[in-house]
Amino acid sequence: MKPDHLNLPPRLRGGRTAKRWEGQTLPASAPSVADKPRHLPRKQGRRISWKPILSIGSPLLLLIVWQAVTAFKLFPPEVLVSPTAVIAAFGEVITTGELQRHLSESLTRLAGGFTIGASLGLLFGLALALSKTVERLFGPTFQALRQVPVLAFIPMLILLLGIDEVFKIVIIAKAAFFPVALAAYDSVKGVPKSYFEVSSLYRAPWWVLISKILIPATVPNILAGVRLSLTRAWLVLVAAELIVADSGLGQMMEMGRQMFRLDIVMVGVIVAGVIGFALDRLFQLLQAHALRWKTA
Amino acid sequence: MDYVPHSQIPGHKSRQTGAVSLKGIKKQFNFKDRELKVLSEFSLDVQPGEFVSIVGPSGCGKSTLLRLIAGLDDTYDGTITLDGQRVAGTSLERGLVFQDHRLFPWMTLEDNIGLALTNRNIPKDAKAKLVADHIALVGLKGFEKAFPHQLSGGMAQRAAIARSLVNEPKVLLLDEPFGALDALTRVHLQTELQRIWLAQGSTMIMITHDVEEALYLGDRVVVMQANPGRITHTVDVNLPHPRDRASPVLHKLKDEILAELTHVPEPSNPVVRLIKGDDQ
Ligand SMILES: Nc1ncnc2c1ncn2[C@@H]1O[C@H](COP(=O)(O)OP(=O)(O)OP(=O)(O)O)[C@@H](O)[C@H]1O
Ligand SMILES: [Mg+2]
C-alpha cells in the first residue's frame, strides 16, 4: 500500500503552518478538496512494474524446485508426482467434469454452513456485547468452547449426526461461528465511551447512533472476523471431506490417494489453496472498501 | 460588582439568555472503595453573554465541572440552572468542545458537523446551509469533504468548534480547546474564538491551563484549587474586547494569578477578590 500523502492534494498533507488559515477563508484559487479530484493520478514509477514479478516469484521458485526434485528422481514417482503429470491430471479431471462436480459440491456446502455459522455468530456476538444477562449466562461457556479445535468435535458429531450433509454443514457452521462472534463482541465492547458522549451531546436519534456511529465503528473489525471465519470454514470443510464424505474436493483427493493417483491429490491441494486465497482476497477488498476513508 | 455589562462593550451582540448558575455543587467519585471528593461547594453565577475563564491545577475538577454543566453526568449534589431552568441531561442549548477534537474519523468535515443537526427538525437544505456557514465561520472553506486525518491539529479543533456552534447554543463550554496546539496556532485560534464570541454573543465558559489565554479572552477569570476542587479567587478583567495582548493590566493580573496558583492558599480565606485593573 502507498503512503497516504501520495494521494493527497498539497493542502491536505497535514503540517501545522499557521499561515494557512490566517485569512478567514481560503483564496478562491487555492486548490481544495472541493475542486480537485481526491485521487490524483498516481505516478507510477518503474519500480511498481516489478511488483507482480516479485509476488509470483515464490510460487515460481517452488515450481522449479518441485520439477527439479522429480526430474532427479529424489523420491519415487508414486510418492512425488511431477508438475507436468499434475497438469495432465488437471486436464483429465476437468474434461471428465469431475473437478467441477466436486468443487461445486464443496462450495455449496461452504456457502450453506458459512452463512448459517457467520450469521449466528454475528447475532450471538452482538447479544453478548449488548446484554449483561446474555454475557453472564453464556460468556464463560463461549470462551471455553471457542478454545476447542473444530476437528476435535468430528468424532462426536459423526456419532450424533452421521456423515450426511447435516454433519458437514454443522462442522462448517461451527468453524465460522466463533471468529465472527468474537469479532462482533470485541468490536462492540471496544467502541469508545467518547463516541456515545458526542452522540448524546448532540442528542442524535438512536438510528443515527447506530447507522452513523456504531456500524462504521465496528464493521471493519467484524469484517476481519468474517474473513477469518470464511478461510477457517474452507480449511475445515476440506479436512472434513477428507475424513468422511461421498463428494467434494476433499473426497476427490481421498479417492485419488486410495487409487495411488497422487497427481489428482496434488490437483486437489492446488485448487484448495487457490480457492482459499481467492476467498481471502475477496474479503480483503471488502474490508478495504469499509475503511476507504483511511486512504482517501 | 462594578463590572461592565456586555451590552456596553462595543461590538458585542447583546443577549438576554444564557445565564448559568451553579449553586453548592458537590461531586465525588468512588474510586477503589474510596470516596474521592472532586468538587465541594462550588458556586458560580455567569451572566448572559459573559466569557468566563477557569484556571486551576491539574485534577482540580475542571473537566468534571464542565461535564456536569453539559449534562453528561447527572450524579452530583447542588443545582445547575440555565436561565432559571434546572439542567437535566444533555441539550442543544449547551454546547461542549472537548480537549481532543472528537471528530469521527470516517466522516468528512461536513458530515461531522452535520451530525450535530440530526436532532433538529429543519429542512435538509437549511441544514446544509448551517453547516456551510459554520465551516466558513471557522475558516475551513474548501475542506468540506476532507476527513479528520487530512486536517492539521488546529484545523480539527476549529472543526470541533464549528460543530459545537452549529446549533447556536446559549452557552458554549470549552475544555482546554487549544491545549494540544502549538503557541502560534493557539494565538490565532484565540483571536478567532473572540471574533466568534463577539459575533454570536453566546455565554462561554472556557477551561485553560494558560493564564495569558484566560485573561486575554475572559471577562472574568476563576481560579480553582484542588482537593477538593473549589474557587479560591475570581478576577474581573475590565478591558474592552478585542484586547491588546501587550496591555500592562493583563500582565499585572497574570503575575497575580500565577502567584496565586503557585501558592498554597489559606483555607480560612477562600474567596479573595483581586483588584480590578483600571480601564486603559
Ligand atoms: N470517571 C471517574 N472516576 C473516578 N475518578 C474520576 C473520574 N473522572 C475524574 N476523576 C477524578 O476527578 C478528579 C478531577 O478530574 P478532572 O478531569 O475534572 O480534572 P481536571 O481539573 O480537568 O484536570 P486536568 O487539568 O488535568 O484536565 C481527578 O482526581 C480524577 O482522578
Ligand atoms: Mg481536564
Side-chain angles (χ1 to χ4, degrees):
Chain A
M1 221 192 272
K2 285 176 164 207
D4 289 352
H5 65 263
L6 290 182
N7 302 335
L8 284 178
R11 295 195 73 85
L12 291 182
R13 280 180 202 161
R16 288 191 185 165
T17 45
K19 251 191 240 150
R20 198 186 296 166
W21 44 270
E22 238 163 10
Q24 308 287 310
T25 50
L26 297 168
S29 62
S32 70
V33 226
D35 52 5
K36 273 231 169 156
R38 309 291 285 310
H39 293 278
L40 297 184
R42 297 171 182 210
K43 272 193 197 151
Q44 298 225 335
R46 201 185 277 157
R47 246 202 270 161
I48 287 167
S49 59
W50 283 100
K51 276 188 180 164
I53 295 174
L54 279 180
S55 47
I56 65 163
S58 62
L60 209 64
L61 192 71
L62 203 66
L63 207 64
I64 291 169
V65 171
W66 180 12
Q67 180 67 48
V69 168
T70 50
F72 289 112
K73 298 214 164 36
L74 290 180
F75 295 95
E78 306 83 54
V79 177
L80 190 69
V81 290
S82 70
T84 42
V86 172
I87 291 166
F90 234 116
E92 187 190 323
V93 289
I94 287 175
T95 42
T96 58
E98 213 179 332
L99 180 64
Q100 292 91 315
R101 187 170 56 81
H102 287 301
L103 197 56
S104 78
E105 283 279 344
S106 292
L107 289 177
T108 313
R109 260 173 218 149
L110 179 72
F114 169 74
T115 310
I116 295 171
S119 335
L120 289 179
L122 180 64
L123 291 178
F124 180 73
L126 293 178
L128 202 62
L130 296 173
S131 157
K132 281 245 151 60
T133 320
V134 174
E135 191 176 14
R136 226 166 269 140
L137 279 175
F138 299 108
T141 319
F142 168 74
Q143 298 294 353
L145 272 183
R146 76 182 181 88
Q147 304 296 344
V148 183
V150 190
L151 296 179
F153 284 98
I154 288 183
M156 192 183 74
L157 283 176
I158 290 176
L159 288 177
L160 285 172
L161 303 169
I163 56 165
D164 286 340
E165 217 43 38
V166 181
F167 157 73
K168 276 158 264 169
I169 298 284
V170 166
I171 201 100
I172 302 162
K174 187 324 185 159
F177 179 88
F178 283 91
V180 178
L182 194 66
Y185 174 76
D186 280 347
S187 55
V188 171
K189 280 275 168 186
V191 174
K193 204 173 133 223
S194 64
Y195 289 0
F196 292 99
E197 283 182 359
V198 172
S199 165
S200 149
L201 200 59
Y202 296 109
R203 306 201 62 81
W206 62 267
W207 64 87
V208 171
L209 174 65
I210 291 177
S211 67
K212 297 245 175 89
I213 298 173
L214 295 184
I215 289 181
T218 54
V219 160
N221 283 336
I222 294 180
L223 269 182
V226 174
R227 184 177 156 195
L228 185 66
S229 104
L230 184 61
T231 45
R232 283 250 181 107
W234 176 246
L235 291 179
V236 167
L237 169 64
V238 175
E241 284 176 348
L242 274 170
I243 303 170
V244 276
D246 42 21
S247 63
L249 195 67
Q251 197 264 348
M252 186 186 90
M253 290 159 74
E254 176 59 14
M255 288 304 288
R257 188 189 67 81
Q258 286 176 18
M259 298 186 305
F260 296 102
R261 286 292 307 272
L262 289 189
D263 46 351
I264 291 183
V265 175
M266 282 309 293
V267 170
V269 169
I270 292 167
V271 171
V274 169
I275 298 274
F277 179 75
L279 291 174
D280 191 53
R281 281 311 288 259
L282 189 76
F283 263 83
Q284 202 181 357
L285 290 178
L286 264 178
Q287 242 181 314
H289 183 73
L291 285 172
R292 64 198 176 282
W293 53 268
K294 271 193 180 166
T295 48
Chain B
M1 199 161 65
D2 59 334
Y3 135 81
V4 181
H6 289 86
S7 44
Q8 289 171 27
I9 294 176
H12 192 276
K13 201 165 113 186
S14 69
R15 275 230 193 176
Q16 307 308 313
T17 58
V20 178
S21 172
L22 302 151
K23 282 201 177 63
I25 306 298
K26 268 190 257 171
K27 170 72 186 170
Q28 55 192 38
F29 287 109
N30 292 324
F31 184 65
K32 287 189 180 168
D33 306 326
R34 249 174 5 106
E35 281 186 348
L36 188 68
K37 280 205 176 103
V38 175
L39 292 169
S40 163
E41 291 301 332
F42 191 102
S43 298
L44 179 69
D45 276 307
V46 183
Q47 313 298 318
E50 193 182 5
F51 198 123
V52 171
S53 307
I54 300 178
V55 294
S58 183
C60 72
K62 305 182 296 293
S63 297
T64 305
L65 183 73
L66 283 204
R67 293 171 58 83
L68 297 185
I69 304 174
L72 288 172
D73 190 344
D74 284 338
T75 54
Y76 61 90
D77 294 320
T79 52
I80 302 176
T81 59
L82 172 59
D83 295 327
Q85 286 263 352
R86 229 189 132 145
V87 311
T90 54
S91 155
L92 296 183
E93 292 188 330
R94 284 168 274 129
L96 172 60
V97 179
F98 296 92
Q99 177 164 5
D100 45 336
H101 58 71
R102 297 210 183 176
L103 300 171
F104 292 104
W106 55 83
M107 291 185 201
T108 60
L109 173 57
E110 59 182 6
D111 288 346
N112 262 299
I113 297 176
L115 182 90
L117 293 170
T118 49
N119 195 30
R120 294 277 298 278
N121 209 357
I122 48 174
K124 235 182 164 172
D125 46 341
K127 284 188 183 180
K129 188 174 181 313
L130 272 176
V131 170
D133 287 350
H134 283 83
I135 288 177
L137 183 73
V138 297
L140 285 177
K141 232 176 170 168
F143 292 94
E144 290 83 357
K145 299 273 187 281
F147 289 97
H149 72 91
Q150 295 170 318
L151 302 173
S152 72
M155 291 161 84
Q157 203 52 269
R158 276 184 293 156
I161 291 173
R163 179 173 67 179
S164 67
L165 286 171
V166 77
N167 286 305
E168 304 209 349
K170 287 180 177 176
V171 50
L172 183 62
L173 310 162
L174 301 125
D175 192 352
E176 295 185 44
F178 313 135
L181 306 175
D182 62 275
L184 200 56
T185 309
R186 285 180 81 117
V187 168
H188 279 276
L189 286 192
Q190 286 161 8
T191 316
E192 288 284 280
L193 183 65
Q194 186 168 61
R195 181 180 62 79
I196 291 165
W197 173 65
L198 289 171
Q200 301 225 330
S202 53
T203 306
M204 294 206 181
I205 303 177
M206 182 183 72
I207 286 169
T208 175
H209 271 136
D210 181 345
V211 176
E212 229 167 280
E213 177 174 284
L215 286 164
Y216 175 65
L217 291 169
D219 294 318
R220 225 176 346 150
V221 178
V222 170
V223 182
M224 284 179 70
Q225 285 295 350
N227 300 318
R230 63 203 186 277
I231 300 178
T232 50
H233 276 69
T234 304
V235 177
D236 289 343
V237 188
N238 236 339
L239 290 176
H241 296 268
R243 290 178 179 150
D244 176 12
R245 284 177 195 276
S247 154
V249 178
L250 292 186
H251 278 265
K252 194 167 126 244
L253 291 175
K254 181 187 166 188
D255 290 343
E256 282 166 7
I257 292 175
L258 282 179
E260 159 67 21
L261 279 173
T262 47
H263 238 141
V264 180
E266 288 166 49
S268 56
N269 192 11
V271 179
V272 180
R273 290 239 149 187
L274 288 187
I275 46 115
K276 297 122 210 157
D278 292 332
D279 284 7
Q280 272 82 43

